Amino acid sequence: MTHVPALSQQRAELEKVWARWAGGSPRPLGPVPVLRNEVVESWERSLRTVDPTRAVAPATDREELGARWADSPLRTPVTELAGELRAITEDAGMIAVVTDETGTVLFSCGDRAVRRRAEQVNLAPGGCWDEPYMGTSGVALSLHTGRPATVWAAEHLVEALHGWVCYCAPIRAADGRQLGVLDLSTYWDRSHPLILTTVRALVTAIESRLHAQYSRPAARTRLECLGLPRLFKQGKQVAMRPRQLEILTLLALEPEGFTPERLHEAIYGERSVSSSTLKADVSRLRRATDGQIADRRYMLTEPIACDATELLAALEAGDITTAVRLYRGPLLPDSDTPGIVQWREHLDVCLRTAVLADHNPEHALRFGQRCPDDIEIHEHALRLLAPGDSRRGLATARLHTALRG
């Protein structure tokens, strides 16, 4: 890391140049010694649309953001790497941000204190960081040039970002299309050139997973078992008996599989049911899934897409927005099968705990819609909503209804 006094002097020189540009003074005709050409060019473009005194990045509509992240090809590889991203950023006092191709933040994680500071300028999911909105930044330069970029201190056009340094690199599909940007950001006096090397390595890891994801065939079967249960094969909904749905749900949630004895206990509990009944139930399921169930150890022979497993993966990645969106209701709500009841309680407790620990009122509101009797969730939503927020009426009505119940 560069010695802090030297960094302070460099920042002071940049601030003087920035003040002249932001204040409307005539632009210098030749090169500016302390400014890189790409920064000068970005400032010139940005000043047409961006006020340098802007305090916060504009926000995307919440529902639109949820849909963007759900549909983004980056969601799966980023979710798979979320643990590594979190470990790196929490250890180093940074945040990691992933945007889409428009510069809209889809995902963030990292050091809690740094994240709180970043949220003050909306460097958080939903924030719009393309150049026409927030001027010169690492995200904006990477999107504009298609190359890795570093923007430090007063190189940012917006003054509110002068306390930051961001290291960014574009994320590309196998055909070369730019899908978004990975950004590692921290405070200006923690800058280090090796951070950009880390960004490049992480982008390579994301792209490797992304390319592998699209090189393998998609799952033939999709099971939706949260709320109203539905099964789709090759995109078409198919009818299935409740018992078959219960077994398939358990196999999806526990991909390592079951011994016949353990699956018997998970399905029938202490009821006196013969092993031949279980074999018959599994046999029917095997025919319904075109042989996707193994014989001796009951397990899936190929992965299926399942909303419950996706919810668990989202929670593990800290992606509460996706987890809440996936939660359409309890796991197979009409089932009293012991294994399903146990998993239902596990999923509900995991998601509810995450929502109560989160500071986004939208999460509490959406979860509260699915859990109308949960007084604590409605109270949590009210605590998070600003006094003038029109959604307070909705949360208040839900709370009153729950209290009367």
Side-chain angles (χ1 to χ4, degrees):
M1 184 178 295
T2 307
H3 198 252
V4 172
L7 283 178
S8 298
Q9 182 179 354
Q10 185 179 350
R11 181 182 178 184
E13 293 173 357
L14 274 172
E15 292 283 0
K16 292 176 184 177
V17 175
W18 175 87
R20 290 197 296 271
W21 281 67
S25 299
R27 310 282 191 268
L29 297 177
V32 182
V34 298
L35 284 182
R36 293 172 289 144
N37 286 339
E38 62 181 357
V39 173
V40 171
E41 292 167 0
S42 178
W43 279 11
E44 290 175 339
R45 292 189 301 267
S46 302
L47 283 167
R48 300 170 192 157
T49 58
V50 179
D51 181 354
T53 63
R54 173 165 208 156
V56 63
T60 302
D61 176 78
R62 293 181 182 89
E63 290 189 6
E64 180 185 348
L65 174 64
R68 283 194 190 191
W69 183 227
D71 296 338
S72 172
L74 297 177
R75 184 169 69 89
T76 296
V78 170
T79 299
E80 290 175 354
L81 276 173
E84 185 174 348
L85 288 169
R86 186 170 289 106
I88 291 171
T89 51
E90 289 178 354
D91 287 346
M94 298 187 293
I95 61 166
V97 164
V98 175
T99 79
D100 64 10
E101 73 281 4
T102 71
T104 300
V105 177
L106 301 178
F107 170 90
S108 70
C109 68
D111 178 85
R112 183 175 299 179
V114 180
R115 284 183 70 184
R116 282 199 295 266
R117 284 276 299 275
E119 287 166 359
Q120 293 174 10
V121 293
N122 204 20
L123 184 57
C128 301
W129 285 81
D130 199 7
E131 198 173 70
Y133 296 106
M134 281 299 282
T136 308
S137 69
V139 169
L141 280 184
S142 280
L143 288 172
H144 184 80
T145 66
R147 300 190 303 270
T150 301
V151 174
W152 179 77
E155 289 182 331
H156 292 93
L157 179 71
V158 172
E159 186 176 14
L161 307 179
H162 287 189
W164 291 88
V165 57
C166 48
Y167 300 88
C168 301
I171 306 169
R172 297 188 180 279
D175 61 6
R177 287 178 298 117
Q178 190 164 315
L179 300 176
V181 167
L182 172 66
D183 167 28
L184 294 186
S185 288
T186 187
Y187 305 140
W188 68 275
D189 54 353
R190 297 179 181 177
S191 62
H192 196 292
L194 285 179
I195 299 177
L196 189 58
T197 302
T198 302
V199 171
R200 292 175 188 264
L202 289 168
V203 165
T204 298
I206 292 172
E207 290 177 341
S208 296
R209 284 166 171 76
L210 179 69
H211 302 167
Q213 171 185 329
Y214 285 94
S215 65
R216 59 179 180 257
R220 292 187 297 156
T221 305
R222 176 166 183 80
L223 171 64
E224 294 183 354
C225 48
L226 297 173
L228 178 67
R230 297 182 296 181
L231 182 72
F232 297 88
K233 291 170 61 179
Q234 305 289 4
K236 295 182 179 179
Q237 187 171 351
V238 296
M240 186 167 283
R241 296 178 180 179
R243 177 68 77 215
Q244 294 171 342
L245 285 169
E246 291 168 344
I247 296 173
L248 187 59
T249 297
L250 290 173
L251 296 180
L253 285 165
E254 302 194 36
E256 70 280 3
F258 291 78
T259 63
E261 296 77 16
R262 183 165 170 263
L263 185 59
H264 189 284
E265 181 181 356
I267 295 295
Y268 308 112
E270 297 180 355
R271 286 182 292 164
S272 179
V273 178
S274 68
S275 59
S276 60
T277 300
L278 175 63
K279 289 180 180 178
D281 285 334
V282 173
S283 180
R284 294 188 193 98
L285 178 60
R286 187 179 292 114
R287 288 195 298 271
T289 58
D290 300 326
Q292 288 182 254
I293 313 298
D295 285 322
R296 296 187 178 180
R297 183 174 180 84
Y298 295 137
M299 61 189 299
L300 296 170
T301 58
E302 62 179 86
I304 68 171
C306 174
D307 55 358
T309 60
E310 291 167 356
L311 184 148
L312 285 170
L315 286 176
E316 186 176 348
D319 183 5
I320 302 176
T321 299
T322 296
V324 171
R325 178 185 57 79
L326 287 167
Y327 188 80
R328 296 179 298 112
L331 183 77
L332 299 183
D334 294 330
S335 173
D336 60 359
T337 294
I340 295 296
V341 171
Q342 184 177 359
W343 268 107
R344 181 190 301 147
E345 293 173 353
H346 176 79
L347 289 166
D348 286 352
V349 168
C350 285
L351 181 55
R352 185 176 186 273
T353 301
V355 170
L356 287 173
D358 188 64
H359 298 293
N360 186 339
E362 183 67 19
H363 297 156
L365 286 170
R366 294 197 66 170
F367 187 62
Q369 182 181 6
R370 302 295 186 186
C371 305
D373 298 327
D374 196 324
I375 293 172
E376 190 175 1
I377 287 291
H378 303 320
E379 290 176 337
H380 182 58
L382 279 171
R383 283 194 297 271
L384 296 177
L385 290 166
D389 196 313
S390 60
R391 295 172 296 171
R392 289 185 63 86
L394 175 61
T396 300
R398 288 175 177 173
L399 177 59
H400 286 174
T401 301
L403 289 170
R404 285 201 304 269

